Amino acid sequence: PSAPKQKSAEEAEYHHLVLTDADALKRLAVDYLHPEIGVDNTDPTATARCYFDRPSAPQQQSADEADYQNMALEDSSTLKKLAIDFFHPEIGVAISSPKSTATGRCYFKRPSAPKQK
């Protein structure tokens, strides 16, 4: 009764596989949490190519994206013009032709206006 219980061969193999998996998971966790360590390359023929940063990759835009971009730029230029008109009332309003029928009326200086205090 003083000797420890012996594992069967199947139990020992299963125990070894579990410990191997745990060790692999630990290495992956360390690699994920510490990207500054880098990757050890043991195979000198292992190479990689980034297809996103390559200089020969043209930047493509679909027709719908180009139309949407043009509409967004037009909207932003219109909003910029409106913001300038709002924040700089001293600029005034430009009339396209001198014979236009654009008129304005001051409701504060009209003769029928109630007296202001």
Side-chain angles (χ1 to χ4, degrees):
S2 63
K5 248 187 161 177
Q6 295 288 327
K7 294 181 182 176
S8 68
E10 292 173 355
E11 287 177 341
E13 183 180 346
Y14 179 75
H15 185 72
H16 177 70
L17 289 175
V18 167
L19 290 177
T20 305
D21 285 345
D23 186 45
L25 286 173
K26 181 181 177 184
R27 275 190 258 119
L28 286 173
V30 168
D31 291 344
Y32 181 78
L33 290 174
H34 299 286
E36 69 273 4
I37 293 175
V39 178
D40 293 332
N41 188 6
T42 58
D43 185 11
T45 61
T47 59
R49 180 176 179 185
C50 181
Y51 288 95
F52 301 106
D53 294 336
R54 63 190 170 110
S56 62
Q59 293 293 331
Q60 297 282 333
Q61 233 184 16
S62 68
D64 292 337
E65 289 174 339
D67 291 342
Y68 182 76
Q69 183 180 11
N70 288 336
M71 286 187 344
L73 289 174
E74 287 174 10
D75 288 347
S76 65
S77 64
T78 303
L79 287 173
K80 180 181 177 183
K81 185 177 181 302
L82 288 172
I84 290 172
D85 291 345
F86 181 78
F87 285 112
H88 297 285
E90 68 274 6
I91 293 176
V93 178
I95 299 175
S96 58
S97 69
K99 294 182 180 180
S100 70
T101 58
T103 60
R105 181 175 180 183
C106 182
Y107 286 95
F108 300 107
K109 295 182 182 177
R110 68 181 193 270
S112 63
K115 299 292 180 190
Q116 299 286 329
K117 292 182 181 182

